[in-house]
């Protein structure tokens, strides 16, 4: 079957179940510790898959040293898809893990061709958004790829010796030197926390969108190859479904009309939501008679991912499928909820800007 995930240009994934058989991602259903994983991302299977997440949870429960590590490309303002990762990090902190957050400025510079100044500026903004979303800076470490010390860069050189172009192509498809550099750098991100130099062995969990799985397969292969020389163990990972854009295609900053950014103001949100793809019928009469199709609806997706508790999801779904609510009214409810959430975020962001000295917690790379 020709199915490949391209981390730099993923297509909307229709059937998440296929990823279990094609790539060997494990289903989240197999995970014990339901008592621990109460966040709706888990109970609603938005985080649907994993690799060795059970091992990481065992380590956490045993009281072994664990860490959660993930990264962001600092290009533009984060959107709601990015905020899913903020939300997961916040949750993992709440259950007792410390987190390490990579600002992937080397990747954004080389692969996305962002200019150096804006990768740094956006990176700093990203950190502020993360804190405003609720990530506890006292339990977090942030770093820019380009501000790391030599031993991290030395890893990239070492990895290059034990991988072939053919195997990278099998994972990533068409490669460029920039992508090769970015992939090896990301493996250094994922594996370096295990080294003595960076605090000694700890079990690493990488929560990401499933578009990032190729990097995890690559990191696991490399961990195996350096298990003797550097003592690496395979990292664990969890995968969330990718929040779609308001037109049903991918949510991406390159299609700003269909993404909700964390700094969008009320009018912008209203306009975007009003244009969104729904599961509504051609006419109001038809919708009252047949009901809507919430599983096709981007508004419903926003409710489920971000805005409503279980009881309210159940209610709105029922009103939708029975035709008791029509899309116009439903969208007005969604706008109110979303605007409220973003206003709250904005307030916190401004507070972070006023009160927080970012340079105290992260080394800003030299320009
Ligand atoms: N490639 C990731 C992205 O596109 C960013 C990233 C860099 C990352 N290093 C990482 C993600 C390590 C997880 C773990 O957003
Ligand atoms: Fe979507 Fe609401 Fe319309 Fe149902 S009524 S299709 S949930 S917008």
């Amino acid at each position: 079957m020709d199915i490949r995930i391209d981390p730099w240009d993923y297509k909307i994934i229709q059937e998440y179940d296929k990823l279990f058989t094609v790539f060997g991602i494990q289903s989240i259903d197999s995970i014990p510790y339901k008592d621990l994983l109460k966040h709706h991302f888990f109970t609603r299977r938005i985080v649907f898959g994993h690799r060795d997440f059970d091992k990481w949870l065992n380590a956490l429960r045993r009281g072994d040293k664990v860490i959660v590590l993930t990264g962001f490309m600092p290009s533009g303002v984060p959107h709601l898809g990015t905020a899913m990762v903020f939300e997961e990090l916040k949750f993992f902190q709440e259950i007792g893990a410390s987190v390490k957050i990579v600002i992937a400025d080397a990747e954004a510079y080389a692969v996305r061709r962002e200019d150096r100044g804006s990768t740094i500026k956006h990176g700093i903004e990203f950190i502020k958004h993360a804190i405003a979303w609720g990530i506890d800076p006292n339990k977090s470490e942030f770093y820019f790829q380009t501000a790391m010390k030599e031993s991290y860069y030395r890893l990239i050189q070492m990895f290059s010796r034990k991988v072939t172009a053919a195997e990278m192509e099998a994972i990533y498809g068409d490669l460029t030197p920039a992508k090769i550099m970015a992939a090896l750098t990301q493996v250094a991100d994922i594996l370096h926390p295990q080294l003595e130099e960076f605090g000694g062995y700890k079990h690493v969990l990488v929560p990401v969108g499933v578009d990032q799985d190729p990097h995890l397969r690559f990191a696991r292969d490399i961990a195996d190859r350096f298990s003797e020389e550097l003592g690496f163990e395979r990292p664990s990972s969890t995968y969330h479904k990718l929040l779609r854009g308001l037109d049903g295609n991918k949510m991406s900053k390159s299609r700003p009309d269909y993404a909700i950014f964390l700094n969008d103001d009320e009018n912008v949100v209203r306009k975007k939501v009003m244009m969104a793809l729904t599961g509504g019928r051609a006419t109001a009469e038809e919708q009252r008679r047949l009901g809507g199709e919430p599983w096709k609806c981007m508004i419903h997706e926003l409710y489920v991912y971000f805005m409503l508790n279980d009881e309210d999801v159940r209610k709105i779904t029922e009103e939708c499928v029975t035709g008791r609510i029509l899309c116009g009214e439903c969208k007005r409810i969604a706008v109110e909820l979303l605007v409220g959430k973003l206003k709250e975020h904005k307030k916190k962001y401004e507070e972070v800007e006023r009160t927080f000295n970012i340079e105290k917690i992260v080394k800003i790379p030299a320009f």
Side-chain angles (χ1 to χ4, degrees):
M1 191 187 331
D2 185 25
I3 158 166
R4 179 181 271 134
I5 307 175
D6 180 342
W8 293 289
D9 186 21
Y10 68 84
K11 305 286 178 291
I12 281 294
I13 295 166
Q14 307 283 3
E15 295 163 277
Y16 283 97
D17 288 354
K18 281 218 175 104
L19 304 180
F20 301 145
T21 43
V22 178
F23 294 116
I25 290 176
Q26 297 159 284
S27 162
I28 203 71
D29 296 343
S30 69
I31 288 289
Y33 303 116
K34 301 277 184 273
D35 57 319
L36 208 57
L37 303 176
K38 291 225 176 80
H39 191 281
H40 70 272
F41 278 9
F42 292 99
T43 58
R44 297 178 191 172
R45 292 196 185 74
I46 292 168
V47 175
F48 71 99
H50 73 100
R51 293 185 192 272
D52 291 340
F53 184 31
D54 43 343
K55 290 192 184 151
W56 185 87
L57 286 164
N58 289 339
L60 176 80
R61 274 275 154 103
R62 275 198 307 271
D64 293 354
K65 261 171 93 180
V66 298
I67 192 173
V68 177
L69 178 141
T70 193
F72 302 96
M73 264 210 256
S75 46
V77 177
H79 53 57
L80 281 180
T82 321
M84 292 178 70
V85 187
F86 293 164
E87 185 71 22
E88 287 167 25
L89 292 173
K90 192 175 127 191
F91 168 75
F92 284 120
Q93 286 186 331
E94 282 162 12
I95 64 170
S98 60
V99 310
K100 192 158 181 171
I101 299 169
V102 185
I103 303 298
D105 62 330
E107 181 179 5
Y109 173 84
V111 180
R112 293 273 186 249
R113 299 176 164 273
E114 301 278 337
D115 72 65
R116 177 81 175 130
S118 65
T119 61
I120 297 172
K121 175 175 154 283
H122 287 139
I124 294 169
E125 286 169 10
F126 246 85
I127 295 170
K128 292 180 190 164
H129 279 292
I131 297 171
W133 194 270
I135 290 174
D136 180 352
N138 297 316
K139 293 187 201 156
S140 322
E141 206 182 307
F142 295 89
Y143 73 86
F144 283 77
Q145 287 174 327
T146 65
M148 286 296 269
K149 51 186 178 181
E150 287 96 5
S151 46
Y152 161 94
Y153 276 95
R154 175 80 182 116
L155 284 178
I156 298 170
Q157 295 160 9
M158 290 175 76
F159 296 161
S160 73
R161 164 170 158 164
K162 290 197 192 175
V163 296
T164 66
E167 89 187 297
M168 288 191 74
E169 273 160 14
I171 296 176
Y172 293 104
D174 287 342
L175 287 169
T176 60
K179 288 181 182 177
I180 295 175
M181 182 286 296
L184 291 169
T185 304
Q186 184 153 345
V187 178
D189 289 329
I190 293 169
L191 298 180
H192 84 274
Q194 301 185 25
L195 295 175
E196 219 37 64
E197 236 195 287
F198 293 94
Y201 184 77
K202 50 190 89 63
H203 200 97
V204 180
L205 172 72
V206 185
V208 278
V210 70
D211 57 304
Q212 295 293 304
D213 181 56
H215 293 301
L216 279 131
R217 277 182 271 143
F218 193 40
R220 291 163 68 89
D221 283 350
I222 291 182
D224 289 348
R225 282 170 218 180
F226 285 89
S227 66
E228 274 187 26
E229 200 171 339
L230 297 173
F232 286 149
E233 302 274 349
R234 291 179 173 185
S236 301
S237 45
T238 59
Y239 303 110
H240 59 249
K241 294 182 183 168
L242 300 160
L243 180 71
R244 285 172 291 176
L246 294 169
D247 63 347
N249 298 311
K250 89 183 207 194
M251 186 176 282
S252 149
K253 76 153 214 268
S254 59
R255 303 180 329 110
D257 289 348
Y258 306 107
I260 303 277
F261 295 95
L262 297 191
N263 68 349
D264 277 349
D265 69 27
E266 184 162 348
N267 291 332
V268 172
V269 171
R270 197 173 300 281
K271 209 177 87 216
K272 287 178 179 176
V273 167
M274 287 306 165
M275 278 181 353
L277 176 74
T278 71
R281 305 284 178 174
T283 65
E285 184 279 320
E286 211 180 300
Q287 188 154 347
R288 282 200 192 89
R289 188 157 46 84
L290 300 173
E293 301 180 283
W295 49 90
K296 294 185 181 167
C297 174
M298 296 308 114
I299 302 301
H300 194 264
E301 186 156 306
L302 286 175
Y303 284 141
V304 172
Y305 277 51
F306 282 108
M307 303 198 296
L308 293 180
N309 63 28
D310 289 355
E311 176 57 17
D312 290 340
V313 167
R314 200 191 54 70
K315 268 198 211 141
I316 200 100
T317 307
E318 191 176 311
E319 288 184 13
C320 172
V321 296
T322 54
R324 266 183 283 140
I325 191 170
L326 300 184
C327 296
E329 186 191 346
C330 192
K331 281 178 161 178
R332 278 191 289 280
I333 298 172
V335 168
E336 289 324 308
L337 290 169
L338 200 50
V339 165
K341 197 165 177 74
L342 294 178
K343 267 196 187 144
E344 181 76 5
H345 179 74
K346 182 159 187 247
K347 219 169 84 200
K348 297 219 178 97
Y349 185 89
E350 285 166 358
E351 188 186 316
V352 173
E353 273 208 308
R354 262 200 328 275
T355 59
F356 207 81
N357 184 357
I358 291 288
E359 288 174 48
K360 277 222 166 98
I361 58 162
V362 61
K363 184 169 160 210
I364 313 282
F367 185 68

